[in-house]
Amino acid sequence: MRAFLLTTTFVALLAGCAPPAQQAERPDTPPGPTTVACNDVTPDAARQIAVGEEVATAAAASDLRGGSIAPGTYDLTSASRIGAATGWTGTRAVALEVSEGQSGSVTFDWAGAETGGATDRWTATFTEAPQPRLAYTCGRVGQVAADFAAQNNALQLRLQDGAGGQLALQFQRRS
């Protein structure tokens, strides 16, 4: 009888040490969509710019001669439509941060916000050769032609728009 009690006690101890039956973990609510922020650039809300009236294509075709774009943060100072560009409506503040990678690559981080609206962000790699282009890496997809001129603390960009026109953008570097 003593052997029976010892065996029963031993089995009971082993049963108490066994891990609990596995239960499938189910969260109360499914995870929501993940929002990826392309950058942390902040536009200056006090610098709201309205896109200007459409500029005649011939007048806007001035030669943008490139130049050396200084790294830093730039604020949009004017914007105009060229050709059939749709652009934005209303006003918005835009900041563009320009940085150089170790390999000499240039990155543009864009943040634009309408008054009281959400911030539109994208990141793109800028290349000059064989033709200036922006290749979007976050926030947008694809590539667009990009003419530019950089001088002192000013940067002019002329970007292709999806509607077949262009946007002429002028930026001033923050001090």
Side-chain angles (χ1 to χ4, degrees), residues 67-104:
S68 178
I69 303 173
T73 303
Y74 293 77
D75 292 302
L76 183 68
T77 58
S78 77
S80 301
R81 290 183 189 97
I82 303 169
T86 55
W88 63 74
T89 58
T91 63
R92 83 178 49 200
V94 175
L96 179 70
E97 186 174 272
V98 177
S99 59
E100 286 185 10
Q102 292 178 350
S103 63

PDB file of all heavy atoms in Angstrom, residues 67-104:
ATOM      1  N   GLY A  67      23.735  73.063 -60.999  1.00  0.00           N
ATOM      2  CA  GLY A  67      24.513  73.673 -59.931  1.00  0.00           C
ATOM      3  C   GLY A  67      24.692  72.709 -58.783  1.00  0.00           C
ATOM      4  O   GLY A  67      24.227  71.567 -58.815  1.00  0.00           O
ATOM      5  N   SER A  68      25.339  73.169 -57.740  1.00  0.00           N
ATOM      6  CA  SER A  68      25.599  72.355 -56.564  1.00  0.00           C
ATOM      7  C   SER A  68      24.537  72.668 -55.514  1.00  0.00           C
ATOM      8  O   SER A  68      24.446  73.798 -55.033  1.00  0.00           O
ATOM      9  CB  SER A  68      26.989  72.668 -56.020  1.00  0.00           C
ATOM     10  OG  SER A  68      27.223  71.914 -54.864  1.00  0.00           O
ATOM     11  N   ILE A  69      23.745  71.665 -55.177  1.00  0.00           N
ATOM     12  CA  ILE A  69      22.674  71.845 -54.193  1.00  0.00           C
ATOM     13  C   ILE A  69      23.269  71.652 -52.804  1.00  0.00           C
ATOM     14  O   ILE A  69      23.762  70.569 -52.474  1.00  0.00           O
ATOM     15  CB  ILE A  69      21.529  70.849 -54.427  1.00  0.00           C
ATOM     16  CG1 ILE A  69      20.972  70.990 -55.843  1.00  0.00           C
ATOM     17  CG2 ILE A  69      20.428  71.063 -53.393  1.00  0.00           C
ATOM     18  CD1 ILE A  69      19.955  69.923 -56.210  1.00  0.00           C
ATOM     19  N   ALA A  70      23.228  72.702 -52.002  1.00  0.00           N
ATOM     20  CA  ALA A  70      23.768  72.623 -50.646  1.00  0.00           C
ATOM     21  C   ALA A  70      22.821  71.834 -49.752  1.00  0.00           C
ATOM     22  O   ALA A  70      21.605  72.062 -49.776  1.00  0.00           O
ATOM     23  CB  ALA A  70      23.960  74.026 -50.084  1.00  0.00           C
ATOM     24  N   PRO A  71      23.346  70.893 -48.975  1.00  0.00           N
ATOM     25  CA  PRO A  71      22.494  70.168 -48.032  1.00  0.00           C
ATOM     26  C   PRO A  71      21.857  71.135 -47.033  1.00  0.00           C
ATOM     27  O   PRO A  71      22.430  72.163 -46.695  1.00  0.00           O
ATOM     28  CB  PRO A  71      23.463  69.221 -47.324  1.00  0.00           C
ATOM     29  CG  PRO A  71      24.607  69.063 -48.272  1.00  0.00           C
ATOM     30  CD  PRO A  71      24.723  70.403 -48.953  1.00  0.00           C
ATOM     31  N   GLY A  72      20.671  70.799 -46.586  1.00  0.00           N
ATOM     32  CA  GLY A  72      19.960  71.631 -45.623  1.00  0.00           C
ATOM     33  C   GLY A  72      18.472  71.563 -45.862  1.00  0.00           C
ATOM     34  O   GLY A  72      17.988  70.825 -46.727  1.00  0.00           O
ATOM     35  N   THR A  73      17.733  72.347 -45.091  1.00  0.00           N
ATOM     36  CA  THR A  73      16.281  72.387 -45.220  1.00  0.00           C
ATOM     37  C   THR A  73      15.879  73.659 -45.933  1.00  0.00           C
ATOM     38  O   THR A  73      16.346  74.747 -45.591  1.00  0.00           O
ATOM     39  CB  THR A  73      15.607  72.317 -43.837  1.00  0.00           C
ATOM     40  OG1 THR A  73      16.043  71.114 -43.181  1.00  0.00           O
ATOM     41  CG2 THR A  73      14.096  72.308 -43.956  1.00  0.00           C
ATOM     42  N   TYR A  74      15.016  73.495 -46.922  1.00  0.00           N
ATOM     43  CA  TYR A  74      14.547  74.595 -47.751  1.00  0.00           C
ATOM     44  C   TYR A  74      13.039  74.765 -47.566  1.00  0.00           C
ATOM     45  O   TYR A  74      12.319  73.781 -47.434  1.00  0.00           O
ATOM     46  CB  TYR A  74      14.824  74.305 -49.234  1.00  0.00           C
ATOM     47  CG  TYR A  74      16.282  74.271 -49.602  1.00  0.00           C
ATOM     48  CD1 TYR A  74      17.079  73.173 -49.307  1.00  0.00           C
ATOM     49  CD2 TYR A  74      16.872  75.335 -50.283  1.00  0.00           C
ATOM     50  CE1 TYR A  74      18.414  73.130 -49.649  1.00  0.00           C
ATOM     51  CE2 TYR A  74      18.213  75.305 -50.637  1.00  0.00           C
ATOM     52  CZ  TYR A  74      18.981  74.204 -50.316  1.00  0.00           C
ATOM     53  OH  TYR A  74      20.308  74.173 -50.664  1.00  0.00           O
ATOM     54  N   ASP A  75      12.575  76.028 -47.592  1.00  0.00           N
ATOM     55  CA  ASP A  75      11.147  76.330 -47.533  1.00  0.00           C
ATOM     56  C   ASP A  75      10.682  76.814 -48.893  1.00  0.00           C
ATOM     57  O   ASP A  75      11.381  77.599 -49.558  1.00  0.00           O
ATOM     58  CB  ASP A  75      10.864  77.412 -46.485  1.00  0.00           C
ATOM     59  CG  ASP A  75      11.106  76.909 -45.074  1.00  0.00           C
ATOM     60  OD1 ASP A  75      10.460  75.915 -44.692  1.00  0.00           O
ATOM     61  OD2 ASP A  75      11.939  77.502 -44.364  1.00  0.00           O
ATOM     62  N   LEU A  76       9.496  76.373 -49.303  1.00  0.00           N
ATOM     63  CA  LEU A  76       8.922  76.797 -50.572  1.00  0.00           C
ATOM     64  C   LEU A  76       8.556  78.271 -50.495  1.00  0.00           C
ATOM     65  O   LEU A  76       7.931  78.712 -49.534  1.00  0.00           O
ATOM     66  CB  LEU A  76       7.670  75.962 -50.876  1.00  0.00           C
ATOM     67  CG  LEU A  76       6.990  76.229 -52.209  1.00  0.00           C
ATOM     68  CD1 LEU A  76       7.882  75.774 -53.368  1.00  0.00           C
ATOM     69  CD2 LEU A  76       5.643  75.511 -52.264  1.00  0.00           C
ATOM     70  N   THR A  77       8.982  79.045 -51.515  1.00  0.00           N
ATOM     71  CA  THR A  77       8.668  80.469 -51.557  1.00  0.00           C
ATOM     72  C   THR A  77       7.722  80.824 -52.694  1.00  0.00           C
ATOM     73  O   THR A  77       7.068  81.857 -52.640  1.00  0.00           O
ATOM     74  CB  THR A  77       9.953  81.325 -51.681  1.00  0.00           C
ATOM     75  OG1 THR A  77      10.668  80.929 -52.857  1.00  0.00           O
ATOM     76  CG2 THR A  77      10.833  81.149 -50.447  1.00  0.00           C
ATOM     77  N   SER A  78       7.640  79.987 -53.737  1.00  0.00           N
ATOM     78  CA  SER A  78       6.648  80.200 -54.795  1.00  0.00           C
ATOM     79  C   SER A  78       6.455  78.912 -55.576  1.00  0.00           C
ATOM     80  O   SER A  78       7.336  78.057 -55.620  1.00  0.00           O
ATOM     81  CB  SER A  78       7.058  81.347 -55.729  1.00  0.00           C
ATOM     82  OG  SER A  78       8.065  80.932 -56.618  1.00  0.00           O
ATOM     83  N   ALA A  79       5.267  78.810 -56.185  1.00  0.00           N
ATOM     84  CA  ALA A  79       4.924  77.633 -56.983  1.00  0.00           C
ATOM     85  C   ALA A  79       4.034  78.081 -58.137  1.00  0.00           C
ATOM     86  O   ALA A  79       3.120  78.882 -57.939  1.00  0.00           O
ATOM     87  CB  ALA A  79       4.192  76.607 -56.127  1.00  0.00           C
ATOM     88  N   SER A  80       4.309  77.552 -59.342  1.00  0.00           N
ATOM     89  CA  SER A  80       3.517  77.891 -60.521  1.00  0.00           C
ATOM     90  C   SER A  80       3.268  76.651 -61.356  1.00  0.00           C
ATOM     91  O   SER A  80       4.109  75.757 -61.420  1.00  0.00           O
ATOM     92  CB  SER A  80       4.252  78.915 -61.393  1.00  0.00           C
ATOM     93  OG  SER A  80       4.525  80.081 -60.679  1.00  0.00           O
ATOM     94  N   ARG A  81       2.114  76.624 -62.017  1.00  0.00           N
ATOM     95  CA  ARG A  81       1.787  75.546 -62.942  1.00  0.00           C
ATOM     96  C   ARG A  81       2.340  75.881 -64.322  1.00  0.00           C
ATOM     97  O   ARG A  81       2.326  77.024 -64.743  1.00  0.00           O
ATOM     98  CB  ARG A  81       0.281  75.386 -63.066  1.00  0.00           C
ATOM     99  CG  ARG A  81      -0.389  74.854 -61.865  1.00  0.00           C
ATOM    100  CD  ARG A  81      -1.893  74.667 -62.151  1.00  0.00           C
ATOM    101  NE  ARG A  81      -2.594  74.354 -60.940  1.00  0.00           N
ATOM    102  CZ  ARG A  81      -3.241  75.237 -60.181  1.00  0.00           C
ATOM    103  NH1 ARG A  81      -3.278  76.496 -60.530  1.00  0.00           N
ATOM    104  NH2 ARG A  81      -3.829  74.852 -59.080  1.00  0.00           N
ATOM    105  N   ILE A  82       2.775  74.840 -65.009  1.00  0.00           N
ATOM    106  CA  ILE A  82       3.244  74.984 -66.397  1.00  0.00           C
ATOM    107  C   ILE A  82       2.483  73.952 -67.218  1.00  0.00           C
ATOM    108  O   ILE A  82       2.433  72.782 -66.859  1.00  0.00           O
ATOM    109  CB  ILE A  82       4.758  74.721 -66.506  1.00  0.00           C
ATOM    110  CG1 ILE A  82       5.530  75.654 -65.587  1.00  0.00           C
ATOM    111  CG2 ILE A  82       5.226  74.854 -67.943  1.00  0.00           C
ATOM    112  CD1 ILE A  82       6.999  75.290 -65.438  1.00  0.00           C
ATOM    113  N   GLY A  83       1.924  74.376 -68.345  1.00  0.00           N
ATOM    114  CA  GLY A  83       1.196  73.432 -69.196  1.00  0.00           C
ATOM    115  C   GLY A  83      -0.062  72.949 -68.515  1.00  0.00           C
ATOM    116  O   GLY A  83      -0.807  73.714 -67.921  1.00  0.00           O
ATOM    117  N   ALA A  84      -0.306  71.654 -68.571  1.00  0.00           N
ATOM    118  CA  ALA A  84      -1.546  71.062 -68.053  1.00  0.00           C
ATOM    119  C   ALA A  84      -1.411  70.573 -66.617  1.00  0.00           C
ATOM    120  O   ALA A  84      -2.167  69.717 -66.189  1.00  0.00           O
ATOM    121  CB  ALA A  84      -1.967  69.910 -68.962  1.00  0.00           C
ATOM    122  N   ALA A  85      -0.480  71.093 -65.872  1.00  0.00           N
ATOM    123  CA  ALA A  85      -0.278  70.632 -64.488  1.00  0.00           C
ATOM    124  C   ALA A  85      -1.519  70.893 -63.650  1.00  0.00           C
ATOM    125  O   ALA A  85      -2.153  71.937 -63.772  1.00  0.00           O
ATOM    126  CB  ALA A  85       0.926  71.342 -63.870  1.00  0.00           C
ATOM    127  N   THR A  86      -1.858  69.932 -62.814  1.00  0.00           N
ATOM    128  CA  THR A  86      -3.019  70.098 -61.946  1.00  0.00           C
ATOM    129  C   THR A  86      -2.617  70.728 -60.618  1.00  0.00           C
ATOM    130  O   THR A  86      -3.352  71.526 -60.073  1.00  0.00           O
ATOM    131  CB  THR A  86      -3.707  68.742 -61.688  1.00  0.00           C
ATOM    132  OG1 THR A  86      -2.733  67.834 -61.177  1.00  0.00           O
ATOM    133  CG2 THR A  86      -4.316  68.210 -62.964  1.00  0.00           C
ATOM    134  N   GLY A  87      -1.459  70.369 -60.096  1.00  0.00           N
ATOM    135  CA  GLY A  87      -0.968  70.955 -58.849  1.00  0.00           C
ATOM    136  C   GLY A  87      -1.952  70.819 -57.713  1.00  0.00           C
ATOM    137  O   GLY A  87      -2.858  70.003 -57.759  1.00  0.00           O
ATOM    138  N   TRP A  88      -1.800  71.628 -56.709  1.00  0.00           N
ATOM    139  CA  TRP A  88      -2.695  71.590 -55.565  1.00  0.00           C
ATOM    140  C   TRP A  88      -3.628  72.786 -55.599  1.00  0.00           C
ATOM    141  O   TRP A  88      -3.404  73.743 -56.313  1.00  0.00           O
ATOM    142  CB  TRP A  88      -1.915  71.530 -54.268  1.00  0.00           C
ATOM    143  CG  TRP A  88      -1.047  72.733 -53.984  1.00  0.00           C
ATOM    144  CD1 TRP A  88      -1.467  73.971 -53.593  1.00  0.00           C
ATOM    145  CD2 TRP A  88       0.380  72.805 -54.042  1.00  0.00           C
ATOM    146  NE1 TRP A  88      -0.397  74.809 -53.407  1.00  0.00           N
ATOM    147  CE2 TRP A  88       0.747  74.112 -53.673  1.00  0.00           C
ATOM    148  CE3 TRP A  88       1.369  71.895 -54.355  1.00  0.00           C
ATOM    149  CZ2 TRP A  88       2.070  74.531 -53.617  1.00  0.00           C
ATOM    150  CZ3 TRP A  88       2.687  72.316 -54.302  1.00  0.00           C
ATOM    151  CH2 TRP A  88       3.025  73.616 -53.941  1.00  0.00           C
ATOM    152  N   THR A  89      -4.669  72.720 -54.787  1.00  0.00           N
ATOM    153  CA  THR A  89      -5.575  73.843 -54.637  1.00  0.00           C
ATOM    154  C   THR A  89      -5.361  74.407 -53.243  1.00  0.00           C
ATOM    155  O   THR A  89      -4.877  73.723 -52.350  1.00  0.00           O
ATOM    156  CB  THR A  89      -7.043  73.411 -54.804  1.00  0.00           C
ATOM    157  OG1 THR A  89      -7.328  72.405 -53.841  1.00  0.00           O
ATOM    158  CG2 THR A  89      -7.292  72.874 -56.201  1.00  0.00           C
ATOM    159  N   GLY A  90      -5.733  75.639 -53.050  1.00  0.00           N
ATOM    160  CA  GLY A  90      -5.552  76.269 -51.750  1.00  0.00           C
ATOM    161  C   GLY A  90      -4.089  76.611 -51.529  1.00  0.00           C
ATOM    162  O   GLY A  90      -3.316  76.796 -52.463  1.00  0.00           O
ATOM    163  N   THR A  91      -3.710  76.705 -50.277  1.00  0.00           N
ATOM    164  CA  THR A  91      -2.328  77.023 -49.931  1.00  0.00           C
ATOM    165  C   THR A  91      -1.732  75.867 -49.147  1.00  0.00           C
ATOM    166  O   THR A  91      -2.451  75.050 -48.577  1.00  0.00           O
ATOM    167  CB  THR A  91      -2.238  78.302 -49.073  1.00  0.00           C
ATOM    168  OG1 THR A  91      -2.920  78.079 -47.840  1.00  0.00           O
ATOM    169  CG2 THR A  91      -2.831  79.493 -49.797  1.00  0.00           C
ATOM    170  N   ARG A  92      -0.428  75.832 -49.118  1.00  0.00           N
ATOM    171  CA  ARG A  92       0.262  74.839 -48.300  1.00  0.00           C
ATOM    172  C   ARG A  92       1.660  75.328 -47.981  1.00  0.00           C
ATOM    173  O   ARG A  92       2.245  76.103 -48.728  1.00  0.00           O
ATOM    174  CB  ARG A  92       0.260  73.467 -48.959  1.00  0.00           C
ATOM    175  CG  ARG A  92       1.300  73.196 -49.975  1.00  0.00           C
ATOM    176  CD  ARG A  92       1.226  71.790 -50.523  1.00  0.00           C
ATOM    177  NE  ARG A  92      -0.136  71.475 -50.909  1.00  0.00           N
ATOM    178  CZ  ARG A  92      -0.611  70.250 -51.067  1.00  0.00           C
ATOM    179  NH1 ARG A  92       0.170  69.222 -50.915  1.00  0.00           N
ATOM    180  NH2 ARG A  92      -1.848  70.040 -51.407  1.00  0.00           N
ATOM    181  N   ALA A  93       2.168  74.853 -46.855  1.00  0.00           N
ATOM    182  CA  ALA A  93       3.548  75.095 -46.452  1.00  0.00           C
ATOM    183  C   ALA A  93       4.341  73.859 -46.834  1.00  0.00           C
ATOM    184  O   ALA A  93       3.884  72.741 -46.613  1.00  0.00           O
ATOM    185  CB  ALA A  93       3.639  75.350 -44.955  1.00  0.00           C
ATOM    186  N   VAL A  94       5.510  74.052 -47.448  1.00  0.00           N
ATOM    187  CA  VAL A  94       6.325  72.924 -47.888  1.00  0.00           C
ATOM    188  C   VAL A  94       7.762  73.116 -47.411  1.00  0.00           C
ATOM    189  O   VAL A  94       8.320  74.203 -47.529  1.00  0.00           O
ATOM    190  CB  VAL A  94       6.310  72.777 -49.427  1.00  0.00           C
ATOM    191  CG1 VAL A  94       7.259  71.677 -49.875  1.00  0.00           C
ATOM    192  CG2 VAL A  94       4.907  72.509 -49.932  1.00  0.00           C
ATOM    193  N   ALA A  95       8.336  72.047 -46.884  1.00  0.00           N
ATOM    194  CA  ALA A  95       9.757  72.025 -46.535  1.00  0.00           C
ATOM    195  C   ALA A  95      10.399  70.878 -47.297  1.00  0.00           C
ATOM    196  O   ALA A  95       9.807  69.806 -47.461  1.00  0.00           O
ATOM    197  CB  ALA A  95       9.940  71.831 -45.033  1.00  0.00           C
ATOM    198  N   LEU A  96      11.594  71.114 -47.793  1.00  0.00           N
ATOM    199  CA  LEU A  96      12.357  70.109 -48.529  1.00  0.00           C
ATOM    200  C   LEU A  96      13.724  70.008 -47.877  1.00  0.00           C
ATOM    201  O   LEU A  96      14.466  70.992 -47.814  1.00  0.00           O
ATOM    202  CB  LEU A  96      12.508  70.526 -49.996  1.00  0.00           C
ATOM    203  CG  LEU A  96      13.308  69.585 -50.889  1.00  0.00           C
ATOM    204  CD1 LEU A  96      12.523  68.297 -51.122  1.00  0.00           C
ATOM    205  CD2 LEU A  96      13.611  70.255 -52.223  1.00  0.00           C
ATOM    206  N   GLU A  97      14.044  68.816 -47.368  1.00  0.00           N
ATOM    207  CA  GLU A  97      15.355  68.605 -46.764  1.00  0.00           C
ATOM    208  C   GLU A  97      16.233  67.866 -47.763  1.00  0.00           C
ATOM    209  O   GLU A  97      15.851  66.816 -48.280  1.00  0.00           O
ATOM    210  CB  GLU A  97      15.232  67.808 -45.477  1.00  0.00           C
ATOM    211  CG  GLU A  97      16.559  67.694 -44.729  1.00  0.00           C
ATOM    212  CD  GLU A  97      16.376  67.026 -43.388  1.00  0.00           C
ATOM    213  OE1 GLU A  97      16.082  67.747 -42.417  1.00  0.00           O
ATOM    214  OE2 GLU A  97      16.512  65.801 -43.327  1.00  0.00           O
ATOM    215  N   VAL A  98      17.392  68.438 -48.036  1.00  0.00           N
ATOM    216  CA  VAL A  98      18.342  67.868 -48.982  1.00  0.00           C
ATOM    217  C   VAL A  98      19.520  67.322 -48.182  1.00  0.00           C
ATOM    218  O   VAL A  98      20.086  68.022 -47.346  1.00  0.00           O
ATOM    219  CB  VAL A  98      18.835  68.936 -49.987  1.00  0.00           C
ATOM    220  CG1 VAL A  98      19.870  68.360 -50.926  1.00  0.00           C
ATOM    221  CG2 VAL A  98      17.664  69.533 -50.752  1.00  0.00           C
ATOM    222  N   SER A  99      19.863  66.058 -48.452  1.00  0.00           N
ATOM    223  CA  SER A  99      21.015  65.455 -47.767  1.00  0.00           C
ATOM    224  C   SER A  99      21.831  64.653 -48.764  1.00  0.00           C
ATOM    225  O   SER A  99      21.320  64.217 -49.794  1.00  0.00           O
ATOM    226  CB  SER A  99      20.558  64.570 -46.602  1.00  0.00           C
ATOM    227  OG  SER A  99      19.720  63.542 -47.066  1.00  0.00           O
ATOM    228  N   GLU A 100      23.105  64.486 -48.435  1.00  0.00           N
ATOM    229  CA  GLU A 100      24.014  63.700 -49.273  1.00  0.00           C
ATOM    230  C   GLU A 100      24.432  62.452 -48.525  1.00  0.00           C
ATOM    231  O   GLU A 100      24.772  62.514 -47.349  1.00  0.00           O
ATOM    232  CB  GLU A 100      25.266  64.507 -49.622  1.00  0.00           C
ATOM    233  CG  GLU A 100      25.036  65.578 -50.645  1.00  0.00           C
ATOM    234  CD  GLU A 100      26.331  66.270 -51.048  1.00  0.00           C
ATOM    235  OE1 GLU A 100      27.432  65.794 -50.676  1.00  0.00           O
ATOM    236  OE2 GLU A 100      26.249  67.292 -51.734  1.00  0.00           O
ATOM    237  N   GLY A 101      24.423  61.326 -49.249  1.00  0.00           N
ATOM    238  CA  GLY A 101      24.891  60.070 -48.672  1.00  0.00           C
ATOM    239  C   GLY A 101      26.396  59.960 -48.827  1.00  0.00           C
ATOM    240  O   GLY A 101      27.035  60.763 -49.514  1.00  0.00           O
ATOM    241  N   GLN A 102      26.984  58.955 -48.204  1.00  0.00           N
ATOM    242  CA  GLN A 102      28.429  58.753 -48.279  1.00  0.00           C
ATOM    243  C   GLN A 102      28.888  58.466 -49.703  1.00  0.00           C
ATOM    244  O   GLN A 102      29.998  58.800 -50.080  1.00  0.00           O
ATOM    245  CB  GLN A 102      28.853  57.628 -47.350  1.00  0.00           C
ATOM    246  CG  GLN A 102      28.692  57.981 -45.892  1.00  0.00           C
ATOM    247  CD  GLN A 102      29.086  56.830 -44.983  1.00  0.00           C
ATOM    248  OE1 GLN A 102      29.309  55.710 -45.413  1.00  0.00           O
ATOM    249  NE2 GLN A 102      29.174  57.120 -43.698  1.00  0.00           N
ATOM    250  N   SER A 103      28.002  57.859 -50.496  1.00  0.00           N
ATOM    251  CA  SER A 103      28.381  57.526 -51.876  1.00  0.00           C
ATOM    252  C   SER A 103      28.157  58.696 -52.826  1.00  0.00           C
ATOM    253  O   SER A 103      28.346  58.558 -54.030  1.00  0.00           O
ATOM    254  CB  SER A 103      27.566  56.319 -52.348  1.00  0.00           C
ATOM    255  OG  SER A 103      26.191  56.662 -52.374  1.00  0.00           O
ATOM    256  N   GLY A 104      27.745  59.857 -52.284  1.00  0.00           N
ATOM    257  CA  GLY A 104      27.498  61.021 -53.127  1.00  0.00           C
ATOM    258  C   GLY A 104      26.064  61.117 -53.609  1.00  0.00           C
ATOM    259  O   GLY A 104      25.709  62.039 -54.325  1.00  0.00           O
TER     260      GLY A 104
END
